[in-house]
Amino acid sequence: MIKITELEKIYRTEEVETVALNKMELEVKEHEFVAIMGPSGCGKSTLLNILGMLDEPDSGSFLFNGVEVAKFNENKRSNLRKANIGFVFQSFNLIDELTVFENVELPLLYNKVRSAERKFRVEAALERVQMMHRRNHFPSQLSGGQQQRVAVARAVVNNPKLILADEPTGNLDSKNGQEVMQLLISLNEKGTTIIMVTHSEHDSRYAHRIVYMLDGKTVTENFLKELVYVAQ
């Protein structure tokens, strides 16, 4: 699904040049669950932004389903992102003024999905994360674990091929964190590819493979389990 080769990203100011990605190499297979680990400042978030097509690299190759997207403009990246990628963030990123239902519905509105189809998909996504009973509540009325469940529902409502998770349990206690990880595992078992940035050794052990980064590049990999996918 993903293959990046000699990927570079450099942030420049008038006085400082920071190399965020330094000829980074990474390959992720379809249906795989990959955890990315490394110290703060090693380039994990930059990598996730590029994989999520929120930013573009300065040089190198980025193949997504065999298509070279490294030099796509923002419009092309946006269209590809909306059709293929869901995001789960540490801080949930729900909109306070919208209900649970409306937050999950947002990606479908961006994709101009018709009203009846939106209702069906949102309800299915909320059922999947056991949050239908909270559909008319606002984020401020939910616990952290419940908010992250809603964020997962929003991430999957478009049936994306890939979910990018940035510290998905970072703001949760162990019980709620475990429930969110089980949700991600369930999605992966049904065929969704997942790339998760985490500082948690515990969470990383749910992945098929751990990629360790340092100074903007891959330094080692640890294979935990064989990738076996049975079509649902």
Side-chain angles (χ1 to χ4, degrees):
M1 171 178 272
I2 288 171
K3 184 175 183 180
I4 63 175
T5 308
E6 296 197 339
L7 208 69
E8 288 192 324
K9 183 66 179 180
I10 301 172
Y11 295 104
R12 295 179 176 89
T13 66
E14 290 183 3
E15 299 177 354
V16 179
E17 180 176 283
T18 303
V19 179
L21 295 179
N22 184 11
K23 297 190 181 299
M24 176 81 187
E25 306 275 338
L26 179 68
E27 191 164 354
V28 178
K29 297 176 181 176
E30 194 171 8
H31 312 310
E32 196 173 12
F33 190 157
V34 176
I36 298 176
M37 302 192 73
S40 297
C42 73
K44 301 186 302 296
S45 294
T46 299
L47 175 64
L48 215 62
N49 284 340
I50 290 175
L51 293 178
M53 302 178 201
L54 299 170
D55 200 358
E56 62 179 329
D58 292 316
S59 63
S61 172
F62 172 17
L63 295 177
F64 185 84
N65 284 335
V67 176
E68 178 60 74
V69 301
K71 296 302 180 184
F72 271 18
N73 60 31
E74 169 55 29
N75 189 50
K76 283 187 174 181
R77 289 201 311 271
S78 177
N79 289 335
L80 196 60
R81 178 174 66 242
K82 287 188 292 187
N84 292 281
I85 301 174
F87 296 88
V88 179
F89 302 96
Q90 177 178 350
S91 56
F92 319 135
N93 284 19
L94 301 178
I95 297 175
D96 292 337
E97 294 78 17
L98 299 182
T99 65
V100 163
F101 185 97
E102 290 165 341
N103 267 282
V104 177
E105 186 184 30
L106 267 181
L108 302 177
L109 290 170
Y110 293 146
N111 279 341
K112 297 181 172 62
V113 176
R114 292 182 178 179
S115 176
E117 177 68 11
R118 290 202 309 271
K119 182 175 184 294
F120 173 80
R121 286 207 213 173
V122 171
E123 290 180 351
L126 289 174
E127 288 284 6
R128 205 167 179 180
V129 300
Q130 299 178 343
M131 285 297 293
M132 262 297 287
H133 64 297
R134 297 283 195 171
R135 57 175 290 165
N136 294 320
H137 287 69
F138 291 92
S140 62
Q141 298 173 296
L142 307 178
S143 68
Q146 290 172 329
Q147 289 188 59
Q148 195 62 296
R149 283 173 174 270
V150 175
V152 171
R154 182 185 57 193
V156 303
V157 74
N158 261 332
N159 298 315
K161 296 182 177 69
L162 171 67
I163 286 182
L164 299 176
D166 189 2
E167 298 283 359
T169 66
N171 283 340
L172 304 178
D173 60 33
S174 58
K175 179 179 181 295
N176 283 305
Q178 176 79 5
E179 290 177 354
V180 168
M181 288 307 303
Q182 289 297 333
L183 278 173
L184 293 177
I185 292 163
S186 174
L187 293 168
N188 178 246
E189 288 174 346
K190 290 178 171 65
T192 306
T193 305
I194 296 177
I195 300 175
M196 175 181 70
V197 163
T198 182
H199 281 105
S200 168
E201 290 282 354
H202 176 270
D203 290 354
S204 72
R205 290 196 289 270
Y206 288 105
H208 296 110
R209 174 167 54 111
I210 305 173
V211 174
Y212 295 94
M213 288 182 65
L214 184 66
D215 297 333
K217 63 177 69 175
T218 302
V219 290
T220 186
E221 297 185 46
N222 183 13
F223 291 83
L224 302 179
K225 60 189 82 167
E226 185 179 354
L227 172 60
V228 178
Y229 171 67
V230 179
Q232 301 296 311

